[in-house]
Amino acid sequence: MNISYNWLKEYVDFDLTPDEVAAALTSIGLETGGVEEVQTIKGGLEGLVIGEVLTCEEHPNSDHLHVTTVNLGNGEPTQIVCGAANVAAGQKVVVATLGTKLYDGDECFTIKKSKIRGVESIGMICAEDEIGIGTSHEGIIELPAEAVPGTLAKDYYNIKSDYVLEVDITPNRADACSHYGVARDLYAYLLQNGVSATLNRPSVDAFEVENHDLDIRVTVENSEACPRYAGVTVKGVTVAESPEWLQNKLRLIGIRPINNVVDITNYIVHAFGQPLHCFDAAKIKGGEVIVKTMPEGTPFVTLDGVERKLNERDLMICNKEEAMCIAGVFGGLDSGSTETTTDVFIESAYFHPTWVRKTARRHGLNTDASFRFERGIDPNNTIYCLKLAALLIKELAGGTVSSEIKDICAAPAQDFIVDLAYAKVNSMIGKVIPVETIKSIVTSLEMKIQSETAEGLTLAVPPYRVDVQRDCDVIEDILRIYGYNNVEIPSTLKSSLTTKGDVDKSHKLQNLVAEQLVGCGFNEILNNSLTRAAYYEGLESYPSKHTVMLMNPLSADLNGMRQTLLFGGLESIAHNANRKNADLKFFEYGNCYRFDGEKKNPEKVLAAYSEEYHLGLWLTGKKVSNSWAHADENSTVYELKAYVENILKRLGLNLNNLVVGNLSNDIFAVALTVNTKGGKRLAEFGVVTKKLLKAFDIDNEVYYADLNWKELMKAIRSVKISYSEISKFPAVKRDLALLIDTNVQFAEIEKIAYDTEKKLLKEVELFDVYEGKNLEAGKKSYAVSFLLQDETQTLTDKVIDKIMSKLVKNLEEKLNAKLR
């Protein structure tokens, strides 16, 4: 928010420089990003001087240009070619001399010596809009006869520089969204730092009702959305250009002047934080203002000419026949004051912040009014600002106050009562603050001391401080005014020793696995846990009824919480593939969320909601591409299987103690699951279905693994790292070629083998699979290798043959296997 240095000084007296003010505001929580010296007119009219047209003749080569000589007060007439129709000898004009910079919005051009149709021109005689003092371009500026040639234009127009402070207002500081609000905080700072200062604002004692010639009734039908609504009429106004002082104030902070009535409302909102609206009283049909909601879908054309469909929760300012304004957000196209307006109804209200915020978001509108209303303005400031607006309109536009103030207030705003204990102040700040200092700070912030004891204070906090309703909020206010830099950093450190817990172990292992995956060529991704709920429609694996839905989503693409990491990864793959980066290895850690309606419990609101931490792996495209040493090779699900197994091994799990099963659902075309012997799902991985890939417009196969990190941490809770000496005795390998049914999987052979010999069998590996000619129908051949080793002695042929015979027998009995 832009704050004018000179404007600030109207409310609080100080002798700080602009940079010192910026530092002071930053120290008390109103961070000031920059200080810029500005002029009321861009460029400050530098290089412009008052001139007198001595001669004016027709241009020899043009039917509309004139060749003039101008006295610029330097003793030498200057020749200037001018195209204005109203230029004439004897006029006093404004001239841009050589080197002058003139501005048209953000564009700038420099006046140079030139030839126009063959005639030399040294300078330019200017129109209003060309130098920024007005909008007219009908002709050059004609000054009064008493204007003295050679006078600098900036002196003639009394152009003064000011400083604009760019103050970053945090969302909780609605009270500081105005010059007076910033002045209040600066006043408290000055008092705390021993500077004598006074805080003042313009008096409205001169306000009086002059007649009752224009009485407009006010009805508030929705007092929840509009706790307070006030209005008054001013009759006989003349809408015209604002005086120079008002235009300058608005221009300095980046507001374009419009007319005196509108400029007054803009002035008050930036001066005191109270948005106002001036209705043309002639357009208030039926002579009544009604504050109410309209039926769903009612069309309404706003000031920008856009027709909007109203929501049943949009509060509207209406007359007897139609809506005139979206309350607290935006005016209607045909309700505000114009050049033909003669009577106005001034509105000053307090609208409920939540109602305004939701309406503004629904219609995508963000105005100065909504910015303040949705944060919470001062409900006790409405009448003061209404009276001030009426007085200013009388002063600048004429007219008479022609009705009593209509003030509809459901319930007066009450102070927030806060009990403040000195002990808690000192404990939270970390320093003993003198009691008198505490009392001085809170009173300088307009908090009233209702009662006082040796232990603390009972304070009444004004309702405009919507962010100060608890003792800790008051303590924060005390600290920021006292000064964070005035609290010494202690030289001792108080701490307690803690041991690493499960969370620390989990974080350590996450980093360990992440490093392992990065070493294998993976990239880590981080997707939003908010997702498109439509992804889960029609899925059996992740039914849409289990999606945690958002009550107030930002968009349809972010209206639910993810049940799985899969879709975020597919979005990332599609994004990269569309940018010609199709060979990808991704991994992501993240929470997945689930809603179970059957567990809803009024006493335990969160009982129906759960979250689990997962690790997702994605593999797609080529494993090897464009290599001179290796032919191109596509990634496969077996490559993913190896990554999953390596993760499980890295975490300390014995793969022989895990149960591997088949999985086929609407996520995977073919997949495997990895469970504990107790049935807990640790991981599942496989080939993503074509249907899902088509939905994301992905052409390549995608292999996905989902590891339940929470269950993995439980599974390794009792795992202890142990070390053993490498065996001194040789291992023995035996191979079997087994003829088995096509539906038999290697996992079944592996399980039977380990069950047969638990001590000496170290490894079981499948090294060849054959299906085709010379085999019986429904059969396939597996070539399996068995590694045997004794840690204490060398194995004999007798022992080896006994084990292998027993192994073959069990395979024959349980799988109907035959040796080839």
Side-chain angles (χ1 to χ4, degrees), residues 623-651:
K623 179 181 179 181
V624 180
S625 64
N626 299 325
S627 172
W628 65 271
H630 197 295
D632 285 6
E633 181 181 344
N634 290 326
S635 296
T636 67
V637 72
Y638 302 106
E639 184 184 351
L640 179 67
K641 175 177 180 286
Y643 293 132
V644 173
E645 287 184 346
N646 287 337
I647 290 173
L648 298 177
K649 290 178 182 178
R650 194 71 177 87
L651 294 175

PDB file of all heavy atoms in Angstrom, residues 623-651:
ATOM      1  N   LYS A 623      15.539 -47.219 -21.239  1.00  0.00           N
ATOM      2  CA  LYS A 623      16.581 -47.395 -20.236  1.00  0.00           C
ATOM      3  C   LYS A 623      17.917 -46.913 -20.790  1.00  0.00           C
ATOM      4  O   LYS A 623      18.719 -46.277 -20.097  1.00  0.00           O
ATOM      5  CB  LYS A 623      16.677 -48.870 -19.842  1.00  0.00           C
ATOM      6  CG  LYS A 623      17.751 -49.187 -18.827  1.00  0.00           C
ATOM      7  CD  LYS A 623      17.788 -50.673 -18.518  1.00  0.00           C
ATOM      8  CE  LYS A 623      18.885 -51.002 -17.515  1.00  0.00           C
ATOM      9  NZ  LYS A 623      18.937 -52.471 -17.241  1.00  0.00           N
ATOM     10  N   VAL A 624      18.177 -47.217 -22.073  1.00  0.00           N
ATOM     11  CA  VAL A 624      19.396 -46.779 -22.762  1.00  0.00           C
ATOM     12  C   VAL A 624      18.979 -46.200 -24.102  1.00  0.00           C
ATOM     13  O   VAL A 624      18.178 -46.799 -24.830  1.00  0.00           O
ATOM     14  CB  VAL A 624      20.377 -47.945 -22.984  1.00  0.00           C
ATOM     15  CG1 VAL A 624      21.624 -47.446 -23.707  1.00  0.00           C
ATOM     16  CG2 VAL A 624      20.736 -48.621 -21.678  1.00  0.00           C
ATOM     17  N   SER A 625      19.497 -45.028 -24.443  1.00  0.00           N
ATOM     18  CA  SER A 625      19.188 -44.439 -25.747  1.00  0.00           C
ATOM     19  C   SER A 625      20.391 -43.648 -26.257  1.00  0.00           C
ATOM     20  O   SER A 625      21.144 -43.069 -25.469  1.00  0.00           O
ATOM     21  CB  SER A 625      17.956 -43.532 -25.657  1.00  0.00           C
ATOM     22  OG  SER A 625      18.209 -42.438 -24.809  1.00  0.00           O
ATOM     23  N   ASN A 626      20.563 -43.667 -27.553  1.00  0.00           N
ATOM     24  CA  ASN A 626      21.619 -42.878 -28.220  1.00  0.00           C
ATOM     25  C   ASN A 626      23.007 -43.158 -27.644  1.00  0.00           C
ATOM     26  O   ASN A 626      23.795 -42.241 -27.428  1.00  0.00           O
ATOM     27  CB  ASN A 626      21.300 -41.384 -28.111  1.00  0.00           C
ATOM     28  CG  ASN A 626      19.997 -41.027 -28.775  1.00  0.00           C
ATOM     29  OD1 ASN A 626      19.627 -41.604 -29.789  1.00  0.00           O
ATOM     30  ND2 ASN A 626      19.287 -40.069 -28.190  1.00  0.00           N
ATOM     31  N   SER A 627      23.288 -44.439 -27.386  1.00  0.00           N
ATOM     32  CA  SER A 627      24.606 -44.809 -26.867  1.00  0.00           C
ATOM     33  C   SER A 627      25.389 -45.540 -27.948  1.00  0.00           C
ATOM     34  O   SER A 627      24.881 -46.445 -28.604  1.00  0.00           O
ATOM     35  CB  SER A 627      24.465 -45.703 -25.635  1.00  0.00           C
ATOM     36  OG  SER A 627      25.726 -46.206 -25.242  1.00  0.00           O
ATOM     37  N   TRP A 628      26.647 -45.157 -28.133  1.00  0.00           N
ATOM     38  CA  TRP A 628      27.482 -45.838 -29.123  1.00  0.00           C
ATOM     39  C   TRP A 628      27.876 -47.231 -28.653  1.00  0.00           C
ATOM     40  O   TRP A 628      28.208 -48.098 -29.462  1.00  0.00           O
ATOM     41  CB  TRP A 628      28.745 -45.017 -29.390  1.00  0.00           C
ATOM     42  CG  TRP A 628      29.659 -44.910 -28.176  1.00  0.00           C
ATOM     43  CD1 TRP A 628      29.616 -43.974 -27.207  1.00  0.00           C
ATOM     44  CD2 TRP A 628      30.713 -45.808 -27.840  1.00  0.00           C
ATOM     45  NE1 TRP A 628      30.573 -44.203 -26.260  1.00  0.00           N
ATOM     46  CE2 TRP A 628      31.278 -45.338 -26.626  1.00  0.00           C
ATOM     47  CE3 TRP A 628      31.251 -46.957 -28.427  1.00  0.00           C
ATOM     48  CZ2 TRP A 628      32.337 -45.967 -25.999  1.00  0.00           C
ATOM     49  CZ3 TRP A 628      32.312 -47.573 -27.790  1.00  0.00           C
ATOM     50  CH2 TRP A 628      32.859 -47.087 -26.590  1.00  0.00           C
ATOM     51  N   ALA A 629      27.836 -47.445 -27.326  1.00  0.00           N
ATOM     52  CA  ALA A 629      28.312 -48.721 -26.788  1.00  0.00           C
ATOM     53  C   ALA A 629      27.189 -49.714 -26.522  1.00  0.00           C
ATOM     54  O   ALA A 629      27.454 -50.862 -26.171  1.00  0.00           O
ATOM     55  CB  ALA A 629      29.076 -48.469 -25.487  1.00  0.00           C
ATOM     56  N   HIS A 630      25.945 -49.267 -26.681  1.00  0.00           N
ATOM     57  CA  HIS A 630      24.833 -50.142 -26.315  1.00  0.00           C
ATOM     58  C   HIS A 630      23.640 -49.802 -27.186  1.00  0.00           C
ATOM     59  O   HIS A 630      23.336 -48.623 -27.388  1.00  0.00           O
ATOM     60  CB  HIS A 630      24.491 -49.939 -24.832  1.00  0.00           C
ATOM     61  CG  HIS A 630      23.656 -51.025 -24.235  1.00  0.00           C
ATOM     62  ND1 HIS A 630      22.368 -51.282 -24.628  1.00  0.00           N
ATOM     63  CD2 HIS A 630      23.932 -51.917 -23.238  1.00  0.00           C
ATOM     64  CE1 HIS A 630      21.868 -52.275 -23.916  1.00  0.00           C
ATOM     65  NE2 HIS A 630      22.800 -52.684 -23.059  1.00  0.00           N
ATOM     66  N   ALA A 631      22.996 -50.823 -27.678  1.00  0.00           N
ATOM     67  CA  ALA A 631      21.794 -50.583 -28.478  1.00  0.00           C
ATOM     68  C   ALA A 631      20.697 -49.995 -27.594  1.00  0.00           C
ATOM     69  O   ALA A 631      20.684 -50.206 -26.384  1.00  0.00           O
ATOM     70  CB  ALA A 631      21.321 -51.898 -29.098  1.00  0.00           C
ATOM     71  N   ASP A 632      19.772 -49.245 -28.230  1.00  0.00           N
ATOM     72  CA  ASP A 632      18.647 -48.692 -27.473  1.00  0.00           C
ATOM     73  C   ASP A 632      17.891 -49.805 -26.776  1.00  0.00           C
ATOM     74  O   ASP A 632      17.680 -50.890 -27.345  1.00  0.00           O
ATOM     75  CB  ASP A 632      17.697 -47.936 -28.396  1.00  0.00           C
ATOM     76  CG  ASP A 632      18.253 -46.580 -28.809  1.00  0.00           C
ATOM     77  OD1 ASP A 632      19.418 -46.305 -28.448  1.00  0.00           O
ATOM     78  OD2 ASP A 632      17.544 -45.812 -29.466  1.00  0.00           O
ATOM     79  N   GLU A 633      17.507 -49.551 -25.525  1.00  0.00           N
ATOM     80  CA  GLU A 633      16.808 -50.568 -24.739  1.00  0.00           C
ATOM     81  C   GLU A 633      15.696 -49.915 -23.939  1.00  0.00           C
ATOM     82  O   GLU A 633      15.919 -48.910 -23.247  1.00  0.00           O
ATOM     83  CB  GLU A 633      17.795 -51.266 -23.788  1.00  0.00           C
ATOM     84  CG  GLU A 633      17.156 -52.360 -22.948  1.00  0.00           C
ATOM     85  CD  GLU A 633      18.142 -53.019 -22.001  1.00  0.00           C
ATOM     86  OE1 GLU A 633      19.366 -52.840 -22.203  1.00  0.00           O
ATOM     87  OE2 GLU A 633      17.690 -53.686 -21.056  1.00  0.00           O
ATOM     88  N   ASN A 634      14.495 -50.444 -24.046  1.00  0.00           N
ATOM     89  CA  ASN A 634      13.355 -49.901 -23.314  1.00  0.00           C
ATOM     90  C   ASN A 634      13.400 -50.306 -21.845  1.00  0.00           C
ATOM     91  O   ASN A 634      13.907 -51.381 -21.500  1.00  0.00           O
ATOM     92  CB  ASN A 634      12.038 -50.385 -23.923  1.00  0.00           C
ATOM     93  CG  ASN A 634      11.773 -49.770 -25.283  1.00  0.00           C
ATOM     94  OD1 ASN A 634      12.138 -48.622 -25.528  1.00  0.00           O
ATOM     95  ND2 ASN A 634      11.161 -50.532 -26.170  1.00  0.00           N
ATOM     96  N   SER A 635      12.860 -49.450 -21.013  1.00  0.00           N
ATOM     97  CA  SER A 635      12.690 -49.814 -19.610  1.00  0.00           C
ATOM     98  C   SER A 635      11.632 -50.903 -19.507  1.00  0.00           C
ATOM     99  O   SER A 635      10.733 -50.999 -20.351  1.00  0.00           O
ATOM    100  CB  SER A 635      12.239 -48.595 -18.796  1.00  0.00           C
ATOM    101  OG  SER A 635      13.233 -47.602 -18.788  1.00  0.00           O
ATOM    102  N   THR A 636      11.745 -51.737 -18.482  1.00  0.00           N
ATOM    103  CA  THR A 636      10.785 -52.819 -18.288  1.00  0.00           C
ATOM    104  C   THR A 636      10.337 -52.843 -16.840  1.00  0.00           C
ATOM    105  O   THR A 636      10.949 -52.216 -15.964  1.00  0.00           O
ATOM    106  CB  THR A 636      11.397 -54.190 -18.635  1.00  0.00           C
ATOM    107  OG1 THR A 636      12.427 -54.482 -17.678  1.00  0.00           O
ATOM    108  CG2 THR A 636      11.976 -54.191 -20.041  1.00  0.00           C
ATOM    109  N   VAL A 637       9.288 -53.590 -16.603  1.00  0.00           N
ATOM    110  CA  VAL A 637       8.783 -53.716 -15.238  1.00  0.00           C
ATOM    111  C   VAL A 637       9.783 -54.474 -14.359  1.00  0.00           C
ATOM    112  O   VAL A 637       9.814 -54.306 -13.141  1.00  0.00           O
ATOM    113  CB  VAL A 637       7.401 -54.407 -15.240  1.00  0.00           C
ATOM    114  CG1 VAL A 637       7.536 -55.898 -15.574  1.00  0.00           C
ATOM    115  CG2 VAL A 637       6.696 -54.218 -13.901  1.00  0.00           C
ATOM    116  N   TYR A 638      10.638 -55.284 -15.000  1.00  0.00           N
ATOM    117  CA  TYR A 638      11.646 -56.026 -14.217  1.00  0.00           C
ATOM    118  C   TYR A 638      12.713 -55.083 -13.669  1.00  0.00           C
ATOM    119  O   TYR A 638      13.275 -55.311 -12.601  1.00  0.00           O
ATOM    120  CB  TYR A 638      12.264 -57.122 -15.084  1.00  0.00           C
ATOM    121  CG  TYR A 638      11.237 -58.095 -15.609  1.00  0.00           C
ATOM    122  CD1 TYR A 638      10.845 -58.073 -16.949  1.00  0.00           C
ATOM    123  CD2 TYR A 638      10.644 -59.024 -14.744  1.00  0.00           C
ATOM    124  CE1 TYR A 638       9.881 -58.946 -17.412  1.00  0.00           C
ATOM    125  CE2 TYR A 638       9.681 -59.900 -15.210  1.00  0.00           C
ATOM    126  CZ  TYR A 638       9.303 -59.860 -16.545  1.00  0.00           C
ATOM    127  OH  TYR A 638       8.351 -60.727 -16.988  1.00  0.00           O
ATOM    128  N   GLU A 639      12.990 -54.028 -14.429  1.00  0.00           N
ATOM    129  CA  GLU A 639      13.911 -53.012 -13.926  1.00  0.00           C
ATOM    130  C   GLU A 639      13.322 -52.355 -12.678  1.00  0.00           C
ATOM    131  O   GLU A 639      14.017 -52.149 -11.681  1.00  0.00           O
ATOM    132  CB  GLU A 639      14.143 -51.965 -15.021  1.00  0.00           C
ATOM    133  CG  GLU A 639      15.170 -50.903 -14.656  1.00  0.00           C
ATOM    134  CD  GLU A 639      15.292 -49.831 -15.734  1.00  0.00           C
ATOM    135  OE1 GLU A 639      14.711 -49.994 -16.830  1.00  0.00           O
ATOM    136  OE2 GLU A 639      15.953 -48.806 -15.456  1.00  0.00           O
ATOM    137  N   LEU A 640      12.026 -52.039 -12.744  1.00  0.00           N
ATOM    138  CA  LEU A 640      11.361 -51.451 -11.571  1.00  0.00           C
ATOM    139  C   LEU A 640      11.380 -52.414 -10.397  1.00  0.00           C
ATOM    140  O   LEU A 640      11.597 -52.013  -9.248  1.00  0.00           O
ATOM    141  CB  LEU A 640       9.916 -51.074 -11.944  1.00  0.00           C
ATOM    142  CG  LEU A 640       9.077 -50.472 -10.817  1.00  0.00           C
ATOM    143  CD1 LEU A 640       9.628 -49.105 -10.410  1.00  0.00           C
ATOM    144  CD2 LEU A 640       7.617 -50.329 -11.246  1.00  0.00           C
ATOM    145  N   LYS A 641      11.165 -53.706 -10.693  1.00  0.00           N
ATOM    146  CA  LYS A 641      11.174 -54.725  -9.637  1.00  0.00           C
ATOM    147  C   LYS A 641      12.519 -54.731  -8.909  1.00  0.00           C
ATOM    148  O   LYS A 641      12.584 -54.819  -7.688  1.00  0.00           O
ATOM    149  CB  LYS A 641      10.900 -56.096 -10.256  1.00  0.00           C
ATOM    150  CG  LYS A 641      11.003 -57.284  -9.285  1.00  0.00           C
ATOM    151  CD  LYS A 641      10.631 -58.575 -10.001  1.00  0.00           C
ATOM    152  CE  LYS A 641      10.725 -59.769  -9.079  1.00  0.00           C
ATOM    153  NZ  LYS A 641      12.113 -60.174  -8.794  1.00  0.00           N
ATOM    154  N   ALA A 642      13.592 -54.563  -9.673  1.00  0.00           N
ATOM    155  CA  ALA A 642      14.920 -54.545  -9.063  1.00  0.00           C
ATOM    156  C   ALA A 642      15.074 -53.342  -8.134  1.00  0.00           C
ATOM    157  O   ALA A 642      15.643 -53.450  -7.038  1.00  0.00           O
ATOM    158  CB  ALA A 642      15.986 -54.512 -10.158  1.00  0.00           C
ATOM    159  N   TYR A 643      14.565 -52.170  -8.558  1.00  0.00           N
ATOM    160  CA  TYR A 643      14.655 -50.983  -7.712  1.00  0.00           C
ATOM    161  C   TYR A 643      13.881 -51.175  -6.410  1.00  0.00           C
ATOM    162  O   TYR A 643      14.336 -50.797  -5.327  1.00  0.00           O
ATOM    163  CB  TYR A 643      14.125 -49.751  -8.452  1.00  0.00           C
ATOM    164  CG  TYR A 643      14.973 -49.328  -9.622  1.00  0.00           C
ATOM    165  CD1 TYR A 643      14.400 -49.053 -10.858  1.00  0.00           C
ATOM    166  CD2 TYR A 643      16.353 -49.191  -9.499  1.00  0.00           C
ATOM    167  CE1 TYR A 643      15.172 -48.661 -11.944  1.00  0.00           C
ATOM    168  CE2 TYR A 643      17.137 -48.799 -10.576  1.00  0.00           C
ATOM    169  CZ  TYR A 643      16.542 -48.547 -11.791  1.00  0.00           C
ATOM    170  OH  TYR A 643      17.315 -48.163 -12.859  1.00  0.00           O
ATOM    171  N   VAL A 644      12.694 -51.798  -6.525  1.00  0.00           N
ATOM    172  CA  VAL A 644      11.871 -52.037  -5.334  1.00  0.00           C
ATOM    173  C   VAL A 644      12.578 -52.994  -4.382  1.00  0.00           C
ATOM    174  O   VAL A 644      12.654 -52.760  -3.169  1.00  0.00           O
ATOM    175  CB  VAL A 644      10.477 -52.571  -5.727  1.00  0.00           C
ATOM    176  CG1 VAL A 644       9.695 -52.988  -4.483  1.00  0.00           C
ATOM    177  CG2 VAL A 644       9.707 -51.523  -6.517  1.00  0.00           C
ATOM    178  N   GLU A 645      13.113 -54.083  -4.930  1.00  0.00           N
ATOM    179  CA  GLU A 645      13.808 -55.060  -4.088  1.00  0.00           C
ATOM    180  C   GLU A 645      15.026 -54.440  -3.418  1.00  0.00           C
ATOM    181  O   GLU A 645      15.298 -54.711  -2.240  1.00  0.00           O
ATOM    182  CB  GLU A 645      14.223 -56.266  -4.939  1.00  0.00           C
ATOM    183  CG  GLU A 645      13.061 -57.154  -5.339  1.00  0.00           C
ATOM    184  CD  GLU A 645      13.533 -58.392  -6.089  1.00  0.00           C
ATOM    185  OE1 GLU A 645      14.713 -58.414  -6.517  1.00  0.00           O
ATOM    186  OE2 GLU A 645      12.723 -59.324  -6.260  1.00  0.00           O
ATOM    187  N   ASN A 646      15.742 -53.591  -4.138  1.00  0.00           N
ATOM    188  CA  ASN A 646      16.925 -52.949  -3.558  1.00  0.00           C
ATOM    189  C   ASN A 646      16.551 -52.010  -2.415  1.00  0.00           C
ATOM    190  O   ASN A 646      17.285 -51.874  -1.437  1.00  0.00           O
ATOM    191  CB  ASN A 646      17.701 -52.190  -4.636  1.00  0.00           C
ATOM    192  CG  ASN A 646      18.446 -53.120  -5.568  1.00  0.00           C
ATOM    193  OD1 ASN A 646      18.744 -54.265  -5.203  1.00  0.00           O
ATOM    194  ND2 ASN A 646      18.746 -52.651  -6.774  1.00  0.00           N
ATOM    195  N   ILE A 647      15.391 -51.348  -2.564  1.00  0.00           N
ATOM    196  CA  ILE A 647      14.926 -50.481  -1.462  1.00  0.00           C
ATOM    197  C   ILE A 647      14.608 -51.315  -0.232  1.00  0.00           C
ATOM    198  O   ILE A 647      14.994 -50.982   0.889  1.00  0.00           O
ATOM    199  CB  ILE A 647      13.693 -49.668  -1.907  1.00  0.00           C
ATOM    200  CG1 ILE A 647      14.099 -48.617  -2.947  1.00  0.00           C
ATOM    201  CG2 ILE A 647      13.024 -48.996  -0.714  1.00  0.00           C
ATOM    202  CD1 ILE A 647      12.929 -47.888  -3.576  1.00  0.00           C
ATOM    203  N   LEU A 648      13.903 -52.420  -0.451  1.00  0.00           N
ATOM    204  CA  LEU A 648      13.543 -53.290   0.677  1.00  0.00           C
ATOM    205  C   LEU A 648      14.794 -53.833   1.357  1.00  0.00           C
ATOM    206  O   LEU A 648      14.882 -53.891   2.589  1.00  0.00           O
ATOM    207  CB  LEU A 648      12.645 -54.429   0.193  1.00  0.00           C
ATOM    208  CG  LEU A 648      11.288 -54.011  -0.414  1.00  0.00           C
ATOM    209  CD1 LEU A 648      10.536 -55.247  -0.907  1.00  0.00           C
ATOM    210  CD2 LEU A 648      10.452 -53.257   0.593  1.00  0.00           C
ATOM    211  N   LYS A 649      15.786 -54.236   0.544  1.00  0.00           N
ATOM    212  CA  LYS A 649      17.049 -54.736   1.112  1.00  0.00           C
ATOM    213  C   LYS A 649      17.780 -53.630   1.860  1.00  0.00           C
ATOM    214  O   LYS A 649      18.334 -53.862   2.936  1.00  0.00           O
ATOM    215  CB  LYS A 649      17.943 -55.289   0.003  1.00  0.00           C
ATOM    216  CG  LYS A 649      17.453 -56.591  -0.618  1.00  0.00           C
ATOM    217  CD  LYS A 649      18.392 -57.018  -1.744  1.00  0.00           C
ATOM    218  CE  LYS A 649      17.921 -58.293  -2.418  1.00  0.00           C
ATOM    219  NZ  LYS A 649      18.809 -58.679  -3.549  1.00  0.00           N
ATOM    220  N   ARG A 650      17.759 -52.422   1.293  1.00  0.00           N
ATOM    221  CA  ARG A 650      18.467 -51.296   1.919  1.00  0.00           C
ATOM    222  C   ARG A 650      17.868 -50.964   3.271  1.00  0.00           C
ATOM    223  O   ARG A 650      18.568 -50.505   4.177  1.00  0.00           O
ATOM    224  CB  ARG A 650      18.396 -50.058   1.005  1.00  0.00           C
ATOM    225  CG  ARG A 650      19.382 -48.954   1.389  1.00  0.00           C
ATOM    226  CD  ARG A 650      20.782 -49.393   1.054  1.00  0.00           C
ATOM    227  NE  ARG A 650      21.770 -48.371   1.325  1.00  0.00           N
ATOM    228  CZ  ARG A 650      22.365 -48.187   2.511  1.00  0.00           C
ATOM    229  NH1 ARG A 650      22.049 -48.968   3.531  1.00  0.00           N
ATOM    230  NH2 ARG A 650      23.291 -47.251   2.666  1.00  0.00           N
ATOM    231  N   LEU A 651      16.570 -51.194   3.416  1.00  0.00           N
ATOM    232  CA  LEU A 651      15.909 -50.932   4.697  1.00  0.00           C
ATOM    233  C   LEU A 651      16.138 -52.056   5.699  1.00  0.00           C
ATOM    234  O   LEU A 651      15.743 -51.932   6.863  1.00  0.00           O
ATOM    235  CB  LEU A 651      14.399 -50.736   4.480  1.00  0.00           C
ATOM    236  CG  LEU A 651      14.003 -49.484   3.678  1.00  0.00           C
ATOM    237  CD1 LEU A 651      12.500 -49.471   3.434  1.00  0.00           C
ATOM    238  CD2 LEU A 651      14.431 -48.220   4.408  1.00  0.00           C
TER     239      LEU A 651
END
